[in-house]
């Protein structure tokens, strides 16, 4: 008999076919996230679940007594209650590597869009306001090439950002990380800085931290005050690593120049969030990995982890805290 699994979101047919070869499966194909009451029914007798950024809580695990593996279709697994999963011997997996380039591309999209005010001027042209030659300072932006980029949290995605910054834009790159990355320092000439020095020296500050208890609100009032007054702040990691109230104040008080945000403390972002009203802030709906190819690769990787976990093999991408 094939092991039973549940897939909590629609996935490409080829990935579904792969799962079907190995598992007896059900899949949620409704619009939006599966309602909790449905989810509890579906997971009651499954050994595996594939879920987008699932909140795997004590409550969730209590509804899935036969569960062996949770395969997260995302690299971030801040929704995992690691202790509860350990206590029940539930394996947790994620999808590293396959999204690194796509997220790094988006980081650069936000760097360019904020500094050269692309969204603002797109509106300007489309609203028919371009009726004189542009010789005025009011259209000035900020150069990206050869500027100083500071990366807080130099993991796999940060490394891809470094390549783009160094090879594509000739930038001076600083980083702050728990551990030194000597190979990257050697290969690309990136320079390690303590947090304060990085904030003081960078024209662009990119935060790429995973969300953990230690990184919650790692960037707050004190950090914004240390940044240059014309610094651009970019976050494509998790909203909660930034104290959003402090970010709003820093923008309102002109302590920094602009921000490019793919993530928010509350998602979906609330309509009354002041960030949505600011011309110098670009806001995206958490689309870092959202390209057709990357989402396919993430789904396939998650499927491989799921199948391995329910067929007695070791999944290739168990999260480090559960290895
Ligand atoms: C992830 O995989 O954690 C990204 O945030 C996905 O969008």
């Amino acid at each position: 008999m094939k092991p039973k699994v549940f897939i909590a979101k629609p996935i490409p047919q080829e990935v579904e076919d792969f799962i079907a070869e190995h598992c007896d499966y059900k899949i949620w194909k409704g619009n939006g996230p599966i309602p909790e009451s449905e989810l509890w029914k579906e997971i009651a007798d499954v050994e595996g679940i594939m879920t987008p950024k699932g909140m795997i809580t004590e409550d969730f695990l209590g509804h899935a007594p036969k569960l062996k593996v949770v395969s997260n279709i995302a690299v971030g697994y801040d929704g995992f209650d690691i202790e509860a999963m350990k206590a029940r011997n539930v394996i947790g997996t994620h999808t590293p590597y396959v999204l690194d380039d796509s997220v790094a591309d988006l980081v650069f999209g936000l760097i360019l869009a904020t500094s050269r005010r692309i969204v603002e001027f797109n509106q300007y042209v489309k609203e028919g306001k371009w009726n004189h030659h542009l010789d005025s300072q009011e259209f000035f932006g900020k150069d990206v090439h050869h500027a100083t980029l500071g990366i807080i949290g130099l993991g796999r995605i940060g490394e891809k950002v470094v390549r783009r910054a160094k090879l594509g834009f000739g930038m001076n790159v600083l980083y702050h990380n728990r551990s030194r990355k000597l190979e990257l320092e050697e290969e690309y000439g990136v320079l390690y800085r303590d947090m304060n020095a990085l904030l003081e020296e960078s024209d662009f500050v990119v935060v790429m931290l995973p969300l953990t208890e230690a990184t919650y609100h790692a960037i707050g009032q004190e950090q914004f005050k240390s940044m240059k007054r014309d610094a651009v702040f970019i976050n494509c990691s998790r909203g909660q690593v930034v104290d959003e109230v402090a970010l709003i104040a820093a923008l309102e008080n002109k302590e920094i120049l602009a921000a490019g945000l793919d993530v928010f403390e509350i998602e979906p972002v609330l309509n009354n969030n002041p960030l949505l009203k600011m011309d110098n802030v670009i806001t995206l709906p958490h689309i870092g990995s959202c390209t057709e190819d990357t989402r396919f690769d993430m789904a396939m990787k998650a499927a491989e982890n799921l199948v391995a976990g329910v067929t007695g093999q070791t999944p290739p991408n168990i999260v480090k805290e559960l290895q």
Side-chain angles (χ1 to χ4, degrees):
M1 225 168 60
K2 289 178 181 172
K4 280 192 181 175
V5 300
F6 182 65
I7 306 160
K9 70 170 266 197
I11 53 174
Q13 190 58 49
E14 198 180 324
V15 180
E16 208 176 308
D17 293 345
F18 168 73
I19 294 174
E21 279 172 36
H22 305 275
C23 305
D24 176 6
Y25 76 100
K26 283 174 82 179
I27 180 165
W28 170 252
K29 290 198 174 173
N31 274 334
I34 181 167
E36 196 172 79
S37 56
E38 283 291 314
L39 181 65
W40 292 161
K41 268 191 260 157
E42 296 294 3
I43 64 175
D45 65 347
V46 300
E47 292 178 57
I49 175 158
M50 200 161 121
T51 172
K53 296 187 210 133
M55 297 304 294
I56 309 305
T57 57
E58 186 66 62
D59 196 16
F60 178 99
L61 295 169
H63 285 84
K66 296 186 183 164
L67 198 62
K68 291 183 179 156
V69 58
V70 177
S71 170
N72 199 35
I73 320 169
V75 68
Y77 49 93
D78 35 280
F80 284 5
D81 181 336
I82 296 286
E83 291 313 312
M85 290 170 78
K86 267 188 198 162
R88 291 176 186 261
N89 275 328
V90 172
I91 299 169
T93 67
H94 67 148
T95 62
Y97 310 108
V98 288
L99 47 68
D100 299 349
D101 277 302
S102 295
V103 179
D105 284 349
L106 193 79
V107 168
F108 260 88
L110 284 171
I111 288 175
L112 290 165
T114 44
S115 59
R116 300 305 303 272
R117 303 164 63 189
I118 290 173
V119 174
E120 188 186 336
F121 292 144
N122 170 62
Q123 269 317 101
Y124 175 86
V125 174
K126 288 189 173 164
E127 286 169 7
K129 293 180 181 160
W130 187 25
N131 51 20
H132 62 284
H133 288 292
L134 302 188
D135 56 4
S136 154
Q137 168 161 331
E138 71 192 276
F139 301 102
F140 284 179
K142 178 183 169 75
D143 275 328
V144 174
H145 66 88
H146 301 99
T148 297
L149 175 74
I151 305 179
I152 301 169
L154 189 53
R156 287 179 298 264
I157 298 172
E159 288 187 28
K160 300 287 186 178
V161 173
V162 167
R163 281 180 63 80
R164 284 157 177 73
K166 277 285 180 186
L167 304 181
F169 292 86
M171 296 177 95
N172 175 36
V173 182
L174 314 176
Y175 77 101
H176 180 74
N177 199 51
R178 269 182 316 184
S179 56
R180 289 283 287 268
K181 298 282 176 117
L182 297 178
E183 278 169 30
L184 281 185
E185 291 184 23
E186 177 91 0
E187 190 173 353
Y188 294 107
V190 298
L191 301 168
Y192 179 82
R193 289 285 188 274
D194 66 32
M195 179 73 122
N196 218 43
L198 180 144
L199 296 170
E200 284 173 3
E201 291 177 45
S202 298
D203 301 304
F204 295 88
V205 175
V206 174
V207 60
M208 285 307 325
L209 293 168
L211 176 62
T212 64
E213 271 174 32
T215 62
Y216 177 79
H217 282 193
I219 310 296
Q221 190 185 40
E222 190 189 324
Q223 287 69 33
F224 288 116
K225 284 199 186 303
S226 299
M227 291 180 201
K228 292 184 179 179
R229 287 187 91 83
D230 67 344
V232 172
F233 178 71
I234 306 289
N235 188 6
C236 285
S237 54
R238 286 291 182 266
Q240 291 171 29
V241 302
V242 177
D243 176 348
E244 212 166 84
V245 171
L247 169 62
I248 292 165
L251 287 158
E252 281 172 345
N253 301 334
K254 304 208 179 322
E255 284 163 10
I256 61 170
L257 179 71
L261 307 170
D262 187 36
V263 291
F264 298 86
E265 279 213 64
I266 298 176
E267 294 181 7
V269 69
L270 300 177
N271 286 338
N272 64 357
N273 188 321
L275 293 167
L276 305 188
K277 295 258 182 314
M278 298 180 183
D279 281 344
N280 55 345
V281 178
I282 295 188
T283 53
L284 297 177
H286 201 148
I287 54 161
S289 64
C290 213
T291 70
E292 191 169 341
D293 287 347
T294 293
R295 284 296 169 96
F296 177 89
D297 292 344
M298 288 167 73
M300 191 51 104
K301 195 177 257 279
E304 288 163 1
N305 285 322
L306 175 79
V307 168
V310 293
T311 56
Q313 302 157 64
T314 304
N317 305 112
I318 301 179
V319 304
K320 64 175 186 303
E321 294 83 350
L322 293 169
Q323 279 170 8

